[in-house]
Amino acid sequence: MSGDEKQRQDWQPAIELNPEQLRDLPNTEEAAVEQVDSGEDKKDTDKSEKNAGLSRIFVAISALLVKLIIIVECYRLVSWGYQQHWSLGTLLSLLIVSVLVMAIVLALRALKGMRQLRRRQPLQQRASQMIASNQYKQAAPLLDEMAEQLKGTALVVPLQQCINEVDSVYRDGEVIRFVSNHGFVEADRKAIDKISRCSFDTAALVAVSPFASFDILLAAWRNWRMLNSIADCYGIAPGIAGQWRLLRQVLHNLAFVGLSELAIDNSGTLLTGSVTGQLTARIGQGLGAGLVTARIGLEAVKLCRPLPFDEGNKPKLSQIQSSLLKELKSKF
Amino acid sequence: MSLRARIDRLVPPEKRQELGDQLQKFASTALDRHVRLAVTGLSQSGKTVFITSLLDHLLSARDSNGLPFFSLCNEDRLLGVKLLPSQGGQEFPFRESMDQLNASPTQWPASTDKLSSIRLAIRYRPGSKVQRMVSETATLYLDIIDYPGEWLLDLPMLQQNFNSWSQQQYRLMAQEPRQSMAKSWLNGAAELDGEAPADQSQITEFSAQYRGLLQGFRRHEQRLSLLQPGRFILPGNLEGSELLQFFPLVKTNSEASQEGSLYAQLEQRFEDYKQQVVEEFYRNHFCHFDRQVVLIDCLKTLNNGRACFDDMQEAVAGILQSFQYGQSGLLRRLFKPRIDRVLFASTKADHVTANQHHNLEQFLELIIQQARRDIQFEGLETRCMAIASYRATGAAEAEVDGQVLSCLKGFRKQNHEPVVLFPGEVPTALPQDKDWSGQRFRFVDFAPPDLKKVRDTPASHIRMDQAIQYLLGDKLR
Ligand SMILES: Nc1nc2c(ncn2[C@@H]2O[C@H](COP(=O)(O)OP(=O)(O)OP(=O)(O)O)[C@@H](O)[C@H]2O)c(=O)[nH]1
Ligand SMILES: [Mg+2]
């Protein structure tokens, strides 16, 4: 008997049950997205900021000073207006108040985008780890967190729909891959569209413009706009601060990470001598500028997307490149 | 002179259009490809059901969401799939199988007793722009054959001679559970004198008994798999033929046997069987494969015990030695195609709860360990996956003694009664002898699902889409 009991500790014997013994299954997947609680988001404030104590104090003091100066200046301006005439004074104070309100709104928005962008990276990292996992039913917290991050954007509806379609037998890795493949179809399409369009515009601009320095400025401006709209595609609020951070990361990745990828990516494409030889130098320059734009765009997509691309589903530079080439040749 | 003008002079523009069309046509036929898929598995491992499910899901893939991990569907590049008449020979009974699955009450297709083949054409848009410049569409032809699993066990015989084969058979019969069943036959055979002149009636009698013995092993509660020759169990059109009249006999002395002696006669029959049955089967159907899926019913071994596990392990290793593995480069393909990718699939994954699928894969690795190592040595890609061609069970939870158990619910295969079951947990290491206990596992056979309810959803199968992606995905880029 005791031997029997010992065996039971290792494994649960198989049993057949009565259908009445069944319990209702909680639908975990749906629950995962609905029970979004907002109390959690304080957790992930950036740790790196903690050790920047000194510079923080410095920044705070200077900000205080600037604020003080601005307030004093505003006060002087308004009181000067009232001295001239009461209507001028009111006008000035109204003006100052509205500028203030606008500044606050803008600043909040900018910070929001920045915060959202900053929270993408840990999310992506957790997702990449989970893709390799063979566990079962542990993906809900991650999906929760993602839904929370995307709350209030256009991405929530297709995502929710996709999560509802997740098959009950999928392991965590399969769940993440499924959601990554099917939850962002529309957003991916829009973003790639934007990149193609913008890279063609840049290429055309550089190809026709006679002023070299001027078109660099124009191209930079277009790229800046592109970053903005890509971020928007993936539910990141547009704003200077976020965009600045995005640009910095993109450039960093392009400089240090992207090189090897580019080498792989380019190996099978059409940029062979015979093709480039037929292009005029101008178009060649345009093509180069367009490709840089495309690379910036793809890098931005990678940073903004809540989940990493599934293997084999990644958008490739070569795809954009060949359509760009075709279009350029047909237009010029 | 510019290049263009030079080309114009060489080939006049009106001719060029025609030439271009022809070139394109040529190139696009070059893009069309053939893939011959080897569906390998012992009897009752789920070959027929797998092929049926593969065809069924591919045929309806275009307008359904049933294959979410198949990239051709994901990327919206699938144009259409069509069954083609088979190239001579018996046609795979796809319609009949589907009718049986859709009948009420639902039924699994019957066990296969003859060879059949089928060809599927998959028309798609190439994903790579380079290919698309050549042609907007491409076609992949998929050839599959189905056959009784018993016949597969003949393949290892090709590498044996009568003596080594006989020795192997006697070795097997010296172990339980075969030993006790074969006792009287072995006693009888021990009295035979290989050097005595052959007696036809004796040969007939002993082969009939040997055949009965093999059938007994198969029905034995351990459900043994390593049963040779395969045609003794399922003769097909060979019933009554002289080719099926032999049995293993070990030589007692080392001298060459006399012409006309019993041993020489049996040896001759063995060689004839090898040449006329096995080799023909192999040459016509088994040496041209590009891809292979090895279906293994792990649950059967868990249900039945250690002897069943060992037997299946040996059978699988023997069979896989008969296939040609190696990278299939273009030149090599022209002469002889080789299998360049192998999927080991544990079928009937719907018989265990979803949290056990990973364990099932690890257990599968135990069975195929040796065979897989040999294949990997050739530099091949292999993968283990738990799949179900059709998913016959649903998930459920029950509370037993205060513990929540993940269970399965479905309908019993024999009588369609509802079953709720905790089937046991799949071990990831080979259980100790004492742990092969009757109470530990209970994997019952389920009736097929009502396909109308799950049609066109991923719930109609388990990982068929990933299996298809693995087997064909790179051919459909
Ligand atoms: N639940 C479930 N049962 C399956 C599945 N596939 C096969 N089976 C069971 O396995 C049995 C045998 O399947 P077949 O496809 O006929 O096996 P086979 O390999 O063709 O067997 P032979 O033709 O005898 O060589 C079926 O009758 C089913 O009971 C599956 O995906 N799910
Ligand atoms: Mg069959």
Side-chain angles (χ1 to χ4, degrees):
Chain A
M1 195 63 228
S2 68
D4 209 27
E5 267 166 21
K6 219 181 260 166
Q7 278 186 359
R8 294 250 164 117
Q9 284 166 5
D10 308 353
W11 43 267
Q12 173 91 31
I15 40 172
E16 226 166 279
L17 304 155
N18 224 336
E20 274 91 68
Q21 276 175 281
L22 287 188
R23 312 191 320 168
D24 282 340
L25 274 186
N27 198 337
T28 42
E29 262 81 47
E30 268 169 43
V33 177
E34 273 159 16
Q35 42 150 282
V36 166
D37 55 18
S38 49
E40 267 187 89
D41 54 346
K42 280 169 204 110
K43 251 191 330 204
D44 50 6
T45 41
D46 222 331
K47 282 189 193 106
S48 65
E49 277 169 30
K50 276 181 195 154
N51 48 24
L54 259 183
S55 65
R56 247 197 182 175
I57 293 173
F58 177 74
V59 169
I61 289 176
S62 14
L64 212 70
L65 267 176
V66 171
K67 262 183 229 160
L68 221 69
I69 293 170
I70 290 177
I71 289 171
V72 169
E73 282 302 312
C74 287
Y75 177 77
R76 277 178 48 190
L77 188 68
V78 171
S79 64
W80 171 82
Y82 274 116
Q83 277 169 12
Q84 306 311 106
H85 193 264
W86 65 267
S87 58
L88 183 63
T90 331
L91 198 72
L92 275 176
S93 43
L94 270 181
L95 203 72
I96 285 176
V97 167
S98 52
V99 164
L100 213 67
V101 168
M102 244 165 69
I104 288 174
V105 168
L106 272 181
L108 280 183
R109 261 181 51 181
L111 284 179
K112 188 175 166 205
M114 172 134 145
R115 223 189 57 209
Q116 284 172 326
L117 188 64
R118 195 184 283 155
R119 290 170 61 191
R120 283 294 141 87
Q121 217 168 357
L123 188 70
Q124 286 182 353
Q125 266 164 11
R126 274 171 62 195
S128 322
Q129 278 164 8
M130 199 166 266
I131 282 182
S133 137
N134 281 314
Q135 281 187 312
Y136 184 65
K137 292 244 154 121
Q138 309 293 320
L142 185 82
L143 295 180
D144 264 354
E145 154 119 31
M146 182 169 67
E148 205 270 326
Q149 287 193 16
L150 296 176
K151 202 163 59 177
T153 67
L155 280 88
V156 167
V157 177
L159 184 69
Q160 171 87 56
Q161 205 180 346
C162 171
I163 290 177
N164 289 345
E165 280 168 18
V166 167
D167 193 2
S168 60
V169 302
Y170 287 168
R171 307 181 186 127
D172 298 342
E174 288 167 331
V175 171
I176 302 294
R177 284 174 53 207
F178 180 87
V179 175
S180 171
N181 282 342
H182 298 270
F184 303 99
V185 178
E186 186 62 13
D188 287 342
R189 201 188 46 73
K190 260 199 241 161
I192 297 294
D193 236 37
K194 291 233 163 75
I195 296 175
S196 302
R197 202 151 4 107
C198 183
S199 63
F200 174 72
D201 286 354
T202 313
L205 196 73
V206 172
V208 297
S209 152
F211 315 104
S213 53
F214 182 63
D215 51 50
I216 282 179
L217 273 182
L218 259 182
W221 180 67
R222 294 216 58 114
N223 279 324
W224 181 253
R225 289 255 316 256
M226 177 182 74
L227 286 187
N228 207 358
S229 49
I230 288 174
D232 189 38
C233 283
Y234 292 104
I236 291 175
I240 288 283
Q243 224 175 318
W244 184 241
R245 188 185 165 91
L246 183 60
L247 183 69
R248 257 183 12 217
Q249 280 181 348
V250 164
L251 292 180
H252 175 272
N253 285 7
L254 282 187
F256 297 109
V257 191
L259 278 179
S260 53
E261 258 174 56
L262 186 72
I264 297 164
D265 211 13
N266 255 346
S267 55
T269 57
L270 285 175
L271 267 192
T272 45
S274 63
V275 178
T276 37
Q278 291 169 19
L279 302 174
T280 65
R282 290 250 62 154
I283 295 186
Q285 278 172 10
L287 185 67
L291 283 182
V292 171
T293 306
R295 283 188 64 196
I296 290 178
L298 289 183
E299 207 55 53
V301 167
K302 237 192 263 170
L303 289 167
C304 294
R305 204 168 188 269
L307 294 181
F309 280 108
D310 190 16
E311 214 43 58
N313 209 10
K314 277 186 194 135
K316 293 200 192 65
L317 184 62
S318 50
Q319 289 168 1
I320 295 179
Q321 173 177 312
S322 46
S323 68
L324 180 63
L325 192 67
K326 219 194 257 170
E327 224 170 313
L328 270 183
K329 278 208 293 193
S330 70
K331 295 263 162 69
F332 293 100
Chain B
M1 198 190 299
S2 79
L3 183 67
R4 175 140 294 206
R6 226 180 293 169
I7 291 177
D8 274 352
R9 225 186 43 186
L10 275 174
V11 189
E14 62 277 7
K15 272 260 168 90
R16 209 181 308 150
Q17 181 64 36
E18 198 182 311
L19 194 71
D21 284 352
Q22 265 178 11
L23 262 180
Q24 190 149 27
K25 212 165 140 200
F26 172 76
S28 68
T29 46
L31 279 187
D32 290 351
R33 297 189 218 187
H34 273 264
V35 172
R36 291 182 198 80
L37 178 65
V39 180
T40 318
L42 298 169
S43 76
Q44 294 298 298
S45 58
K47 296 180 295 298
T48 307
V49 177
F50 178 83
I51 298 172
T52 309
S53 162
L54 182 83
L55 299 177
D56 179 24
H57 282 110
L58 280 178
L59 282 169
S60 59
R62 209 185 107 112
D63 323 296
S64 81
N65 307 320
L67 302 173
F69 281 104
F70 183 36
S71 64
L72 208 56
C73 294
N74 277 348
E75 294 158 15
D76 219 4
R77 296 193 285 117
L78 184 64
L79 297 173
V81 180
K82 201 174 137 193
L83 283 182
L84 301 180
S86 80
Q87 318 285 305
Q90 187 83 29
E91 178 138 341
F92 177 73
F94 174 63
R95 291 281 150 232
E96 288 83 335
S97 301
M98 283 315 291
D99 287 346
Q100 275 175 310
L101 286 170
N102 284 317
S104 70
T106 56
Q107 271 174 2
W108 295 108
S111 182
T112 316
D113 57 4
K114 53 181 174 293
L115 189 107
S116 61
S117 66
I118 197 150
R119 170 171 286 189
L120 195 70
I122 305 174
R123 215 169 157 67
Y124 64 100
R125 256 181 310 128
S128 103
K129 286 253 163 63
V130 184
Q131 281 198 16
R132 212 180 298 161
M133 278 175 30
V134 180
S135 160
E136 272 296 316
T137 68
T139 312
L140 181 87
Y141 295 98
L142 179 65
D143 281 325
I144 306 179
I145 62 168
D146 190 26
Y147 50 88
E150 289 84 357
W151 294 2
L152 204 58
L153 280 163
D154 283 346
L155 297 184
M157 287 167 73
L158 282 179
Q159 288 148 3
Q160 292 170 316
N161 60 24
F162 183 58
N163 197 28
S164 62
W165 179 72
S166 296
Q167 272 168 1
Q168 190 196 9
Q169 300 311 306
Y170 278 96
R171 175 172 64 75
L172 287 171
M173 282 190 281
Q175 293 161 3
E176 286 299 350
R178 282 180 169 88
Q179 193 181 25
S180 44
M181 294 178 75
K183 203 178 234 156
S184 65
W185 188 87
L186 284 173
N187 287 341
E191 283 166 19
L192 290 177
D193 178 9
E195 300 310 320
D199 171 1
Q200 202 49 55
S201 64
Q202 199 180 36
I203 295 185
T204 315
E205 192 194 319
F206 269 87
S207 357
Q209 282 174 3
Y210 183 68
R211 199 168 155 184
L213 207 53
L214 288 182
Q215 267 152 359
F217 294 154
R218 191 166 120 100
R219 278 194 307 272
H220 183 266
E221 58 180 31
Q222 294 274 7
R223 308 262 167 238
L224 301 174
S225 340
L226 189 47
L227 309 170
Q228 288 170 329
R231 302 268 174 165
F232 276 37
I233 291 164
L234 215 88
N237 53 5
L238 288 181
E239 185 68 77
S241 153
E242 214 172 53
L243 284 170
L244 299 191
Q245 297 198 346
F246 65 94
F247 52 90
L249 187 68
V250 179
K251 211 171 163 61
T252 39
N253 55 6
S254 55
E255 289 153 33
S257 336
Q258 297 274 315
E259 184 91 12
S261 69
L262 175 63
Y263 187 85
Q265 177 85 44
L266 290 177
E267 188 168 25
Q268 185 57 41
R269 292 260 170 92
F270 176 82
E271 291 300 327
D272 286 349
Y273 180 86
K274 247 170 74 175
Q275 219 165 50
Q276 291 173 37
V277 180
V278 189
E279 230 177 88
E280 193 194 85
F281 182 55
Y282 182 73
R283 196 164 355 96
N284 294 342
H285 306 287
F286 269 86
C287 54
H288 310 292
F289 290 119
D290 307 288
R291 294 283 149 98
Q292 184 174 35
V293 51
V294 182
L295 303 177
I296 289 176
D297 185 359
C298 297
L299 306 175
K300 175 178 146 181
T301 66
L302 287 175
N303 256 349
N304 295 322
R306 184 64 191 246
C308 178
F309 178 91
D310 291 342
D311 204 58
M312 184 182 279
Q313 196 172 35
E314 193 172 343
V316 169
I319 290 165
L320 292 184
Q321 275 175 7
S322 328
F323 289 86
Q324 308 269 335
Y325 297 102
Q327 302 288 335
S328 68
L330 184 64
L331 261 185
R332 229 164 156 183
R333 286 179 57 99
L334 280 179
F335 299 110
K336 196 158 208 175
R338 304 245 169 162
I339 294 170
D340 59 358
R341 203 176 262 197
V342 182
L343 173 68
F344 292 98
S346 177
T347 50
K348 313 182 194 177
D350 56 339
H351 286 50
V352 299
T353 49
N355 54 7
Q356 298 296 306
H357 287 176
H358 183 56
N359 287 11
L360 192 58
E361 284 168 9
Q362 287 179 306
F363 189 77
L364 170 68
E365 283 180 26
L366 291 179
I367 297 187
I368 55 159
Q369 226 165 27
Q370 184 54 45
R372 188 186 200 193
R373 239 179 262 146
D374 292 344
I375 293 176
Q376 281 171 337
F377 178 78
E378 298 288 338
L380 258 75
E381 226 184 301
T382 63
R383 177 103 149 249
C384 287
M385 217 182 263
I387 66 166
S389 314
Y390 285 108
R391 194 190 302 182
T393 62
E397 266 181 10
E399 210 171 301
V400 180
D401 306 336
Q403 234 193 71
V404 178
L405 287 181
S406 314
C407 301
L408 296 172
K409 52 178 195 228
F411 298 91
R412 213 179 282 279
K413 182 176 173 180
Q414 290 80 13
N415 48 18
H416 286 82
E417 272 172 8
V419 195
V420 173
L421 176 76
F422 171 75
E425 288 172 350
V426 181
T428 54
L430 204 55
Q432 303 279 309
D433 279 341
K434 68 171 170 52
D435 286 342
W436 291 101
S437 142
Q439 313 163 24
R440 187 164 176 183
F441 312 107
R442 191 172 304 165
F443 302 111
V444 307
D445 279 341
F446 290 97
D450 185 357
L451 289 182
K452 276 172 236 95
K453 284 194 197 136
V454 290
R455 192 111 234 127
D456 298 344
T457 67
S460 59
H461 61 85
I462 297 175
R463 293 196 190 89
M464 272 304 276
D465 48 352
Q466 292 181 52
I468 297 175
Q469 174 68 23
Y470 182 72
L471 290 169
L472 302 177
D474 64 324
K475 300 271 184 189
L476 294 166
R477 275 212 281 262

